[in-house]
Amino acid sequence: MDLGFSAATLILFVVALIVVIKAIRVVPQQHAWIVERLGRYAGTLGAGFHFLFPFIDVLRYRLSLKEQALDIPEQ
């Protein structure tokens, strides 16, 4: 009898853990992440700790703001 209660509790714990993992995002320095909410542009996340609404907000693009050196041939 007690097995059904513990299995339901375990399933609820796993679902809550997945929601928390999908909600918390940490953007590294010199990066910008583009967020879409229900398919529309919702904003740009700068460096730091951010909370997103799971299953509603989606990270669409991760942009590096670092400088990139290019080799330019002599003219």
Side-chain angles (χ1 to χ4, degrees):
M1 288 185 212
D2 211 4
L3 181 64
F5 177 73
S6 64
T9 305
L10 180 64
I11 291 171
L12 183 62
F13 177 74
V14 169
V15 169
L17 185 65
I18 290 170
V19 168
V20 169
I21 289 173
K22 290 189 72 66
I24 297 173
R25 297 289 177 205
V26 179
V27 180
Q29 288 286 338
Q30 296 184 351
H31 283 83
W33 292 358
I34 307 299
V35 177
E36 285 185 359
R37 179 170 289 153
L38 299 175
R40 296 186 67 171
Y41 173 78
T44 303
L45 302 179
F49 180 80
H50 299 279
F51 182 80
L52 301 175
F53 293 107
F55 309 108
I56 295 175
D57 291 340
V58 178
L59 291 173
R60 283 293 172 203
Y61 186 70
R62 297 177 185 201
L63 177 67
S64 175
L65 302 175
K66 297 177 184 178
E67 292 183 7
Q68 296 181 2
L70 299 175
D71 290 331
I72 300 176
E74 296 181 15
Q75 295 185 0

